[in-house]
């Protein structure tokens, strides 16, 4: 680590998020960039999220009034894999043909070949994430995935569950993401939690927060399966509008989770004012401050944050607002993951 690093000075573009002066060997947390949006069904661009957030991260002040030593976090960023970017471009081309044909009323059976191309590419991506994550986990590092669409963290969840059976998932999102093979894509962005349910038996609880856009089959699943605990946007507002405090709602949410927790954070779990460029924005959702307080309370509860993903950030045309909101949430996730590890907090 360089001895000239000044956290109060201008951010240096060194390839690490926030310009942190951390080498791979020094890292306690590794950020894996996954520029992937092969299955998005509405707005595109989440493949450019990691790059946009990386640039925006240099504008974030490395200080937090609750957690001392924020600038000392040992966080290293794995460079983006160009082969994954190329694979995404090819898969996106096939997926566009499928989605366009379906919107024109085509027989889904006639699209099986194109769907298979996308599913094969997604399987390669999932294996890349799982193998990459497993390698760093074996070294004792904490791993986080920076998407990309919300299908991308499946490999990380698999790698973690193999080491932490009984783990829970705190899923913050506008969508339930429990559709089976949405639009013919087995690993759709709309299917991540369905795939966790089906493929990752080590996960024992998925607590969903802020969801407000789901179909009847999804609602039936998450309200009948003991794996899921839904805190829908409507139910949260019902509590708040009838006198509950946000802090009490947060404690209710956290009480459903086991000691070891993985956070899956889709940026559209926030109100669209923070993420207008995201692929499928939905009115409602959490404020930035509410999400921050929930994560803070989780980290302060004695639970261990064993990893996380931050997905669905998409650059919003000429505006950098989406990237700024996303990277500031990333900063909070890193702080609270470090806090849960070190228990370094002023107000515990």
């Amino acid at each position: 680590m360089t001895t000239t690093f000044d956290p109060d000075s201008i951010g240096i573009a060194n390839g690490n998020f926030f310009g942190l002066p951390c080498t791979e060997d020094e890292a306690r947390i590794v950020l894996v960039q996954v520029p992937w949006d092969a299955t998005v069904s509405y707005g595109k661009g989440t493949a450019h999220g990691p790059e946009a957030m990386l640039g925006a991260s240099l504008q974030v002040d490395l200080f937090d009034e609750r957690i001392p030593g924020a600038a000392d976090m040992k966080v290293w960023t794995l460079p983006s894999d160009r082969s994954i970017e190329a694979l995404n471009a090819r898969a996106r081309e096939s997926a566009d043909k499928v989605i366009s044909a379906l919107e024109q009323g085509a027989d889904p059976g006639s699209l099986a070949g194109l769907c298979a191309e996308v599913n094969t590419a997604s399987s390669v991506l999932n294996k890349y994430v799982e193998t990459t994550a497993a390698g760093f986990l074996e070294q004792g590092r904490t791993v986080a995935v920076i998407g990309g669409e919300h299908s991308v963290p499946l490999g990380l969840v698999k790698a973690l569950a193999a080491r932490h059976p009984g783990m829970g998932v705190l899923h913050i999102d506008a969508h339930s993401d429990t559709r089976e093979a949405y639009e013919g894509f087995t690993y759709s962005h709309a299917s991540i939690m369905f795939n966790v349910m089906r493929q990752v038996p080590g996960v024992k609880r998925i607590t969903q927060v802020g969801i407000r856009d789901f179909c009847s089959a999804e609602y039936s699943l998450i309200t009948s399966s003991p794996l899921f605990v839904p805190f829908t946007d409507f139910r949260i507002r019902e509590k708040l509008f009838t006198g509950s405090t946000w802090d009490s709602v947060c404690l209710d949410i956290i009480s459903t989770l086991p000691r070891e927790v993985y956070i899956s954070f889709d940026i559209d779990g926030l109100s669209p004012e923070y993420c207008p460029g995201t692929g499928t924005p939905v009115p409602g959702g959490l404020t930035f401050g509410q999400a921050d307080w929930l994560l803070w309370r989780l980290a302060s509860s004695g639970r261990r944050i064993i990893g996380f993903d931050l997905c669905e950030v998409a650059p919003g045309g000429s505006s950098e607002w989406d990237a700024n909101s996303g990277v500031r949430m990333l900063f909070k996730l890193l702080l609270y993951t470090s806090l849960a590890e070190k228990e370094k907090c002023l107000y515990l």
Side-chain angles (χ1 to χ4, degrees), residues 31-32 48-49 69 82 92 96 141 155 200 205 244 251 261 293 298-299 302-303 314 322:
L31 301 181
V32 179
H48 303 296
R82 299 305 178 190
R92 180 68 249 170
D96 280 339
R141 322 295 181 92
V200 195
R205 175 58 49 83
S244 295
L251 295 179
V261 179
W293 189 259
L298 174 67
R303 287 165 177 79
D322 291 79

Side-chain angles (χ1 to χ4, degrees), residues 80-196:
S80 183
D81 189 318
R82 299 305 178 190
S83 68
I84 294 299
E85 294 180 24
L87 181 64
N88 176 68
R90 295 194 296 272
R92 180 68 249 170
E93 184 176 353
S94 296
D96 280 339
K97 294 176 182 177
V98 171
I99 295 169
S100 178
L102 289 173
E103 290 174 345
Q104 298 302 315
D107 176 11
S110 68
L111 305 171
L114 287 170
C115 287
E117 292 176 12
V118 178
N119 292 334
T120 297
S122 295
S123 293
V124 172
L125 181 279
N126 291 338
K127 192 63 179 177
Y128 163 77
V129 172
E130 183 176 4
T131 301
T132 301
F136 287 116
L137 292 172
E138 285 295 324
Q139 298 170 9
R141 322 295 181 92
T142 299
V143 179
V145 159
I146 311 301
E149 65 174 50
H150 206 180
S151 68
V152 299
L154 182 61
L156 174 56
V157 177
K158 284 184 174 181
L160 283 168
R163 292 160 176 79
H164 304 279
M167 63 179 272
V169 175
L170 174 61
H171 174 210
I172 299 172
D173 203 326
H175 308 88
S176 178
D177 288 351
T178 48
R179 290 178 179 265
E180 182 175 7
Y182 186 57
E183 295 177 323
F185 305 136
T186 302
Y187 298 105
S188 169
H189 69 106
S191 303
I192 177 63
M193 292 304 156
F194 183 89
N195 288 326
V196 169

Side-chain angles (χ1 to χ4, degrees), residues 45 66 79 138 168 181 192 211 247 297 308 336:
R66 292 171 297 188
E138 285 295 324
I192 177 63
I211 59 173
D247 188 57
R297 284 301 243 162
F308 67 84
Y336 300 143

Side-chain angles (χ1 to χ4, degrees), residues 45-84:
T46 54
H48 303 296
E51 181 181 15
M53 284 193 288
L54 183 61
S57 72
L58 302 181
Q59 304 304 315
V60 177
D61 281 314
L62 304 179
F63 174 80
D64 187 271
E65 64 181 302
R66 292 171 297 188
I67 304 173
D72 297 329
M73 291 188 296
K74 300 296 189 293
V75 180
W76 178 72
T77 305
L78 179 70
S80 183
D81 189 318
R82 299 305 178 190
S83 68
I84 294 299

